[in-house]
Amino acid sequence: MSEIISRREGNIQVLTFNRAAKMNALTREMYAGLANGLNEAAGDFGVRAVIITSEGDHFTAGNDISDFLVNPPTGEDSDVAKFLGSLLEFPKPLIAAVKGNAVGVGTTMLLHCDVVIASPTAKFSMPFASLGLVPEAGSSYLFPLLVGYQRAVKIFFTGESFGAESAREMGMVASVETDPLIAAMELAKAIAVNPPQAMINTKALLKASKHDAVAAVMKAEFELFSLALQSEEAMEAFMNFMAKKGKQ
Ligand code: COA
C-alpha cells in the first residue's frame, strides 16, 4: 500500500498520509506522491476540491529525520521543494483535516491550505530552531502575518506546541470538529457544487497579494534550511532523536 493514498470521492480528491507506524513522518517518496497528487488534481477538470488528511491518530510528525540524515534535501529539484512549489501554486480549494500531532511541515503546510479543520486532539508545533534548523514553507512570513510577530517568534524560538483551540483563536484553523475528515468532506461537497472557474478565480484573488512575497521567502528559507541541515547543531539534534529511538 502506498504511503500517500490518493482517492477520488465524487469530484473531491483526498490525499492521505499512510505511514501511521512512523507517525506519518514524511519521506522523499511521500513528498513526491503529494506533489503528484496535487499536480494531477490541479490539471483534472473533474476535481473541484482537495482534502489532505492522515491515517491513524496523528497528522504527521514532520519530515522523516532518518531521511534528513541520509538524503538531505538541498536542491530546488528535491521532492520537498517540488511539493512546496505545488502547494504554493495549487489553484483549487484545498482543505486539511488534522488530528493529533502536526509537527514541522505538518503545521507549515497548513498555512497554504484554504480551510483547516482540526480535531480537539490536534497539536501543532514548529520545532525548527530546537533542531538547529530554520522555519520553512514560507512560514517565517506567513505565520507572523497571521498571528502577529510576538506570538510567532515565541513559538519559533521555543518550539512550544499549541492545541486546536489556540490554533482556532489564532486564525490558523477554521473550526474544531470531533471528526475533522467528515466536516472537511461536507465542506468540500458544498464548495464543489459551485462553478469551478469562479472558485479558482476567487482563490487566485485572495492569494494574489502575497504570492510573490511567499515565493521569495520560500526560496530564501530553503537556502538557509539546506545549509542548516548540514550544520553541527542539526546533526546533533537528529542524532539525539535517533539515539532516543534506539536507532543508533
Ligand atoms: N522521523 C522519523 N521517524 C519518526 C519521526 C520523524 N520525524 N517522528 C516520529 N517517528 C517515529 C518514531 O521513531 C517511532 O518509530 P518507532 O516506533 O519505530 O521507534 C514512531 O514514529 C512513533 O513516534 P514516537 O516518538 O515513539 O511517539 P511519541 O508519542 O513518543 O512522540 C513526537 C511524538 C512527535 C513528540 C516525537 O515522535 C518526535 O519528536 N518526533 C520528531 C518530530 C520532528 O522533530 N520532526 C521534524 C520537524 S522538522
Side-chain angles (χ1 to χ4, degrees):
M1 180 69 94
S2 168
E3 288 178 340
I4 296 294
I5 303 170
S6 183
R7 70 179 169 89
R8 178 80 73 85
E9 198 169 317
N11 42 20
I12 317 297
Q13 196 74 31
V14 183
L15 302 176
T16 305
F17 309 142
N18 181 35
R19 197 180 176 225
K22 294 286 179 188
M23 214 173 269
N24 295 316
L26 296 167
T27 60
R28 280 194 311 171
E29 292 76 17
M30 291 168 79
Y31 286 122
L34 286 168
N36 281 343
L38 287 176
N39 295 343
E40 280 174 24
D44 184 338
F45 185 73
V47 175
R48 300 292 165 84
V50 170
I51 296 174
I52 298 185
T53 190
S54 60
E55 283 295 325
D57 296 334
H58 299 278
F59 189 58
T60 167
N63 201 103
D64 187 288
I65 288 181
S66 326
D67 244 24
F68 263 163
L69 281 164
V70 182
N71 301 303
T74 49
E76 282 184 25
D77 59 345
S78 63
D79 292 306
V80 61
K82 285 183 190 159
F83 163 61
L84 294 177
S86 302
L87 196 59
L88 175 65
E89 303 302 338
F90 190 66
K92 299 181 181 179
L94 182 60
I95 303 168
V98 182
K99 60 196 157 175
N101 287 318
V103 186
V105 71
T107 290
T108 59
M109 74 170 78
L110 302 175
L111 299 168
H112 296 267
C113 295
D114 300 303
V115 180
V116 179
I117 301 176
S119 146
T121 65
K123 193 172 156 194
F124 305 89
S125 60
M126 294 178 281
F128 302 112
S130 343
L131 288 169
L133 301 172
V134 295
E136 37 74 314
S139 59
S140 61
Y141 174 70
L142 289 169
F143 194 55
L145 198 65
L146 184 67
V147 307
Y149 180 84
Q150 299 269 331
R151 271 202 293 193
V153 86
K154 185 164 166 274
I155 286 166
F156 280 133
F157 278 179
T158 63
E160 71 189 22
S161 59
F162 50 98
E165 275 306 330
S166 301
R168 194 184 56 78
E169 183 258 324
M170 286 176 192
M172 210 186 87
V173 154
S175 68
V176 180
E177 309 283 349
T178 316
D179 191 327
L181 182 55
I182 290 181
M185 192 53 84
E186 276 170 14
L187 174 64
K189 285 179 179 160
I191 290 170
V193 297
N194 283 328
Q197 194 56 49
M199 298 293 104
I200 290 171
N201 290 343
T202 300
K203 174 163 176 168
L205 284 167
L206 286 164
K207 296 270 186 186
S209 63
K210 316 257 167 4
H211 176 278
D212 292 356
V214 179
V217 167
M218 276 168 80
K219 196 167 183 299
E221 287 173 343
F222 199 76
E223 280 167 19
L224 274 180
F225 197 95
S226 302
L227 287 175
L229 267 179
Q230 294 160 71
S231 68
E232 266 177 45
E233 289 180 348
M235 284 301 159
E236 198 180 324
F238 298 157
M239 291 303 187
N240 283 344
F241 176 78
M242 301 298 279
K244 251 193 247 160
K245 299 289 154 200
K247 300 282 189 297
Q248 292 285 310

